[in-house]
Every structure is written in structure tokens, then in C-alpha cells.
Amino acid sequence: MIASAAEIVTGAAPEGAVRRDAARTRWERPALLLLLGATALLYLWQLGASGWANAFYSAAAQAETHSWSALFFGSFDSANFITVDKPPAALWLMALSARLFGVNPWSILAPEALCGVAAVGLLYATVRRWFAPAAALLAGAVLALTPVAALMFRFNNPDALLVLLLVAAAYALTRAVEDGRTRWLLLAGALIGLGFLTKMLQAFLVVPPFALVYLLAGPGSLALRLRQLLTGGLAMLLAGGWWVAAMILIPAGSRPFIGGSQDNSILNLIFGYNGFGRLDGNEAGSVGGGPPGTSGRWGPTGLLRLFGSEMGSQVSWLLPAALIALAALLWLSWRGPRTDRPRAAALLWGGWLLLTGLTFSLAQGIIHPYYTVALAPAIGALVGIGAVELWQRRDRWGCRLLLAAAVAASASWAFVLLDRSPNWYPPLRVGVLVVGIAAALALLGVDTLRRRSAATLGAVALAVALAGPAAFAAQTAATPHTGAIPSAGPAPTRGRATGGRASFPSNFGGVPRTGPFGNGNQGTARGSRGGNARSQSPRGLAGQFGPGGIRGGLGGLLNANTPSSALISLLRQGSAGYTWAAATVGANDAAGVQLALNAPVMAIGGFNGTDPAPTLAEFQSYVRAGKVHYFIASGGLAGGFAGFGRPAGPAGSSDTAAQITRWVAQTFAASSVGGVTVYDLSHAR
């Protein structure tokens, strides 16, 4: 195994660009197949153990198997009351799979895993266009073994599809830089546009570095390159804007309420809750986000945020090495011609890493650790390209010094990350540090070693750099994850906190971080299995607050608990003729019921329970018209009372959920079914 790894490390790159028809080494194709096969095994093994994973999206995918209009809009329920708070592209993937193979955890999660395998393969193909096979294989391996990638490619949040689309766009841009054909820029723009339909403005973070790379390194005149970029930008706007235009043009009465918005406007969702509000923290409708003008409510911001206890173990294992590689590539290519490809690659992947990383580091609005999966392809590409380029120039003192620095930094930082979970395989962190420092020192004199000895040393350095993230990725894949905010790897038990493991404020509405929203891996199933802290729900707090109906509620704001068989049996009785079998505050409470019932459940207030939909008058009209059968008390904090964790401000929409809850409690008799308070809306008292 060491010999084969050494052979990959020492693979010689062809002079200049790597031609598509260049003769491949004998080991490259088997190595690629091994990489893709191992990635598929890591992402698909026991995939169903996480159940519905994020039940919010699973319930929406289930709904869209019943209604093509719900599929188009990205609705949470098949009756098209409200959409999810994201655009629908990721749901399309899950829903189409569920239509083909039935609604089950595998049909919903398998497309995410396949997105991961495809992303690894495309990253390999992109790097391989210009660099040695060893660089491409290492880039793919780093992406596959990044812990947050092992998490999100086994989970059904939109991030898996987003990463695949952005890597595919980078491949198209690489081809455009090679031959200057406009069609490749059109493809790159269209793929980024589809990324917008997956996670809105986050997809556009790669646009500035992509445009810069083509302007600086593309063939042809500057005027031609500018025209081509404008054409690619038009393709991006068309690919991402057609659905937005449809949502604007379709009358509000003929489509669902746009979840996450405060005025039933897709533009409010794009530029508010999912847009600039993420940057400045001014997010109307965000639970715990604070009133306009506040900042830092989602954890301390700053340049070191990616290295903190919240995000560090997710993605930053090889981030120091990637930054060293970026500096090395720019240093090695600074005298090259305008179209120099190593420099173009450094700007492409380095620009992706720096702009996206700085955005995550400085954002004052909602930010969750799993967002960092968007950094993994850039880190992988820089590490792969930089390591091999420096290795091939190891006869130069500066290159040996940079190689040694990258290995030493990776080993030292891995020790710090592993030490944050000191009870999880303690020998690993010591071994990584000792062997890593020894390998780094040996690399300073690698030019004096014979070829075989040098290859063995390179293989050892590579293995020690990947040991930490690989161990965390394996642990992540072996641990079921559920809920809205999953987290990779064992939960840190020491180390400086940066916003809390669950990405909630340090004191969310008076709830300490060690309470239901913090201290550990929010969303990890089955207790502390695999070293993760237990996922806790707000049930204990929910029973203490709020008028009429909160006591004895369902699960909570972030988790969709499985409802009892007694509750589902009651909801099924006499459900014929009702548009919604039940209504409850918050989409996660509604999701658990909807998945078990396989019938529409109205999620009052959308995901957070803070959207102004429906108003009290609208809900009363639904009840009078016989469209809603039952109201289920919510365990979510947003629905129990107005303004929990923040003053009631312009958002004011939590008042809507509270008004409905109070009216139901005052108008209808309550009964307890399976420990949950239920109101029959067909019989007023």
C-alpha cells in the first residue's frame, strides 16, 4: 500500500498543459476507480440509519410526490399552503427520486450521496486537465475525506447539490480557459444559475473569482473575453431567474405563500432572509436573530471563525496547508505569461476559498457549521495541486521549506482539533503530531534521499496529513444524524467556543448554551452514539411557556419527533374531505406528522413559525370552510408566544402564530392524545 501511495505522490506531470489524449500511467485509472469506489462506500454505507435526516425537507419531498404543482413551487405540503424557505432545485432531485423509488430514507438520501461521488469525480477531472494525476487524485481524496463533506453528502440539505453544481461550473470554466469557446462559459453560467435555484445568493460567491480568472487567463482579446463573460452572465441569470420570474408573475392567490419571506415576496426571501440578512444579521423572521441593527447574535465573527470550536473540526484540517499551497503557487507562477495555468488555478481555487471563507467568517446573520462544505472543493484542489507542484521541485530549498511547513502545520492543527475531543481515540492525536513533525523535518533534506526513500517519506507525510480528517469522516459516516443543524465528528468538549455547536446565540432568549440548543451535536440521532453529544429537544422548556396549547406540544423548533400511533390514528379518522388533516406551528412539528400520516399538514408560520402565514382571519376562514380538521399544540418555541429570544419588532410574525394558538385554545376543547394536546376544529365549545 505504501508503494502504491508513493507511486501516486511521485507521478511526473507532463510539460505544459495536460492534453486530453495524453498517455495515462498504468496506475491512474485503477487509482481513480478506487477513489470513487471508496467515496461511494463512505457515503452510501448504512445510509438509511439517519432515517428522514432533515425531516423538514423529507416531508416536502414526500408532498411533491403527490402534486406536480407542489414540486414546481417547492411546497412543504401537497395542498400548497407554504413553500420551504429555500428555492426548490434540491427538492426536485429528492422528489423525483422518491417518485421513482417510493418515499423512503434511501430514495431521499441516495441522490445526495451520489452528488458527493460525482463532485469528487468532477474535481478530479478539473484538476487533471492542467496538472499531474497525483494532484487530481489527492484533490479528490481531500474533498471526500473532509468531515463536513462526509456529513452533508449523507444528508438531505441543499448543500450537496450546491457543491456539485459549483464544482461542475469550475470544470466548465477550466475548459473555457483552455480553448476560449463561449459554450463553456454558457455552461458555467447555467450551472451557477442552477446553484442559485439550490441555495440562492451563496452560489454567486464564486462568480467574482471565476470572472477574474477568465479575464486574466482566457484566450483572445480583452474585448472578446468581456463579451463572453457577459454572455455567460446572461446564461446564469436565465438559468436562475426563470423560476423567480414565475413566482413574481403568478398571482399570490394562485401559488403557496413563500416561506421565509415576511411579505409573500420571492424578492424578500432572496435579498432578506436568505440574502443580505445573512451578512449583517438584519433578518426579519429569524428566531433569535435579534431586531434590526443588532449583530453577532449567531456567534462571534472574525478571521479565525473557521478555526473555532464550531467550524474547525468540520472543514479546517487542511486549511493551513491550502493557504500555504496558494501562496506557493502564486510564488512559483508570478513571472509566467498571462495565460499561465498554475496561476490561473491558484486564482480560481484560491479566490473561491478566500471569498467564501471570508463571507462565512464575517457573516453576522444565520450561519451553521455545515455551510462550510462549500469550502471543501477549493481546499482539496489547492492541497492537491500545491503538494505535487512543490514535490516536483523538491530540489529547490524554498519548495522543500514550504512542503515541510504545510506538513507541520497540518499535523499541529490536527493535534489541536483532536485535542478538543480528548476522550476520542487519544493516541491518534499524539501519533499525528509526532509522526507529522518528524516527516516535516525529514522533508527539509528530501533532496538528498534516493528515489524510493523519498517516495516513502512523501507517502508518510501524505498519510499523516489525512489521518485526522479521515478518522472524523469515518466517525461521521458511522453516526446517524437528524434534525435541522447536523454537525460532523465527535462533539468538542473543550476549546474556545465560537457561537456554540448548534450555531445559536450564546444565550438564546435566556436559554443557556448547555440547554436544548447547544453543547454538542444538535441533530445527532440515538443519544451519544459514536462520541457525539445527545440531541436534545425544547420539550422541557416548551411546557413552561406560552398560552393555550403549548404545554403538551410536539417536538420542537429544530427536530421533528415521530408522533405516536394514537395521534396518527386520530388524525386519520374522518380526514376525508379536509384539505389539511391538521395544523401546527412550525414546519418541523408539522414534518413529523406529515411523514407519518402521508397527508397534508399546515405548517403555521413556516420553518421558524415566524412567517405571517396564515393570518388569524385567514386561519379562521379555513376552519369555517372545513379545510382544517385538527390543531396540534406545538413544542416549538416560536409558536408559543411572541418574541421569544428577541423583542417583537417589525417581523412581528410570531404574533400571528401566538394569536392563532390563543384563539384555538379559547374556542375549542383540548384533549390529550399520546401526550400531545389536540383540538378538534370541527367542534367549537
Side-chain angles (χ1 to χ4, degrees):
M1 181 176 295
I2 292 180
S4 61
E7 197 174 17
I8 292 177
V9 170
T10 57
E15 291 293 328
V18 178
R19 297 182 181 276
R20 183 179 178 84
D21 58 352
R24 295 174 178 249
T25 55
R26 289 179 299 174
W27 52 263
E28 182 180 359
R29 190 177 297 276
L32 174 60
L33 293 176
L34 177 62
L35 171 63
L36 296 179
T39 302
L41 181 65
L42 179 65
Y43 294 168
L44 288 167
W45 181 258
Q46 294 185 339
L47 189 60
S50 292
W52 296 117
N54 191 335
F56 173 59
Y57 291 117
S58 293
Q62 178 200 58
E64 290 163 11
T65 64
H66 296 294
S67 167
W68 287 108
S69 61
L71 179 73
F72 174 80
F73 291 120
S75 297
F76 172 79
D77 60 292
S78 59
N80 285 310
F81 165 66
I82 195 167
T83 71
V84 300
D85 58 354
K86 296 292 186 295
L91 284 176
W92 293 340
L93 186 65
M94 290 183 279
L96 292 174
S97 174
R99 279 180 175 267
L100 288 173
F101 304 108
V103 180
N104 57 72
W106 262 91
S107 67
I108 289 175
L109 295 178
E112 315 303 310
L114 296 178
C115 282
V117 177
V120 170
L122 271 174
L123 183 61
Y124 160 85
T126 306
V127 174
R128 183 65 177 95
R129 298 293 306 181
W130 295 350
F131 299 97
L137 291 167
L138 181 54
V142 170
L143 170 58
L145 295 176
T146 301
V148 71
L151 171 71
M152 296 316 295
F153 289 128
R154 296 173 56 89
F155 208 72
N156 58 327
N157 280 23
D159 302 75
L161 179 60
L162 175 66
V163 170
L164 172 60
L165 291 170
L166 295 185
V167 174
Y171 176 83
L173 177 69
T174 300
R175 297 297 302 269
V177 172
E178 286 180 6
D179 57 27
R181 294 185 180 181
T182 304
R183 66 183 185 185
W184 289 113
L185 285 175
L186 290 173
L187 178 59
L191 289 167
I192 295 173
L194 289 176
F196 172 84
L197 288 185
T198 303
K199 214 174 176 191
M200 291 193 168
L201 294 184
Q202 184 182 334
F204 291 165
L205 290 176
V206 301
V207 172
F210 281 22
L212 177 64
V213 166
Y214 195 75
L215 276 178
L216 293 180
S221 66
L222 178 60
L224 174 61
R225 280 175 273 145
L226 284 171
R227 289 197 301 270
Q228 289 176 314
L229 282 174
L230 290 175
T231 304
L234 179 61
M236 179 181 71
L237 293 177
L238 291 175
W242 67 270
W243 183 82
V244 174
M247 297 298 283
I248 292 174
L249 295 174
I250 296 175
S254 301
R255 59 164 174 77
F257 186 93
I258 297 173
S261 72
Q262 294 301 297
D263 58 1
N264 199 13
S265 163
I266 188 64
L267 297 180
N268 179 265
L269 181 64
I270 294 171
F271 297 108
Y273 181 75
N274 281 334
F276 299 119
R278 303 276 171 147
L279 301 179
D280 60 18
N282 192 355
E283 298 172 292
S286 169
V287 174
T294 63
S295 63
R297 296 292 302 276
W298 298 91
T301 61
L303 296 178
L304 298 181
R305 192 180 199 180
L306 294 176
F307 298 94
S309 63
E310 181 186 41
M311 298 182 179
S313 62
Q314 308 298 295
V315 77
S316 72
W317 298 83
L318 295 174
L319 182 53
L323 295 175
I324 292 172
L326 173 59
L329 289 172
L330 293 174
W331 168 58
L332 292 172
S333 60
W334 74 279
R335 287 185 176 178
R338 179 182 65 81
T339 56
D340 183 79
R341 290 181 178 175
R343 185 174 59 222
L347 294 175
L348 191 161
W349 301 109
W352 177 335
L353 175 63
L354 293 177
L355 185 56
T356 304
L358 286 173
T359 301
F360 291 164
S361 297
L362 302 178
Q364 297 174 346
I366 296 175
I367 183 78
H368 298 312
Y370 65 79
Y371 290 4
T372 57
V373 69
L375 301 172
I379 292 174
L382 288 171
V383 169
I385 296 169
V388 174
E389 290 292 298
L390 289 172
W391 180 264
Q392 291 169 349
R393 295 168 176 81
R394 61 188 181 274
D395 57 325
R396 298 167 60 176
W397 167 248
C399 292
R400 295 198 303 276
L401 182 62
L402 288 171
L403 269 177
V407 173
S410 299
S412 301
W413 183 237
F415 176 84
V416 173
L417 293 176
L418 291 168
D419 191 55
R420 290 177 180 174
S421 303
N423 297 323
W424 188 77
Y425 295 112
L428 179 60
R429 67 178 184 273
V430 177
V432 166
L433 180 63
V434 172
V435 177
I437 296 300
L441 292 174
L443 283 171
L444 294 175
V446 70
D447 60 317
T448 64
L449 300 177
R450 294 183 178 180
R451 182 180 179 87
R452 183 175 295 275
S453 298
T456 302
L457 175 58
V460 170
L462 178 61
V464 77
L466 293 177
F472 260 53
Q475 190 275 347
T476 300
T479 304
H481 292 82
T482 60
I485 310 178
S487 186
T493 57
R494 65 185 180 200
R496 184 179 176 215
T498 50
R501 191 69 168 169
S503 244
F504 274 87
S506 59
N507 190 9
F508 179 69
V511 182
R513 183 174 289 149
T514 54
F517 295 109
N519 187 31
N521 189 338
Q522 172 70 24
T524 300
R526 297 185 178 90
S528 58
R529 176 179 176 182
N532 283 307
R534 181 178 58 182
S535 169
Q536 304 179 54
S537 84
R539 181 185 298 277
L541 283 171
Q544 302 174 23
F545 299 99
I550 291 303
R551 190 178 302 276
L554 281 168
L557 177 64
L558 298 176
N559 288 310
N561 288 355
T562 302
S564 67
S565 58
L567 177 61
I568 296 303
S569 177
L570 172 69
L571 298 181
R572 285 201 176 107
Q573 295 173 12
S575 61
Y578 289 91
T579 304
W580 295 277
T584 189
V585 175
N588 270 301
D589 276 351
V593 177
Q594 184 166 287
L595 285 166
L597 190 62
N598 196 23
V601 175
M602 179 183 288
I604 296 172
F607 181 81
N608 290 325
T610 57
D611 297 346
T615 64
L616 175 59
E618 289 170 338
F619 187 76
Q620 290 171 333
S621 69
Y622 289 142
V623 173
R624 286 193 297 268
K627 293 184 176 182
V628 187
H629 196 180
Y630 292 99
F631 181 89
I632 307 171
S634 171
L637 298 175
F641 51 92
F644 181 80
R646 58 179 173 84
S653 50
S654 56
D655 286 336
T656 301
Q659 290 168 9
I660 292 173
T661 301
R662 283 193 291 267
W663 175 75
V664 169
Q666 294 166 2
T667 309
F668 301 92
S671 61
S672 180
V673 181
V676 175
T677 302
V678 180
Y679 300 85
D680 186 344
L681 302 183
S682 64
H683 294 89
R685 62 181 175 183

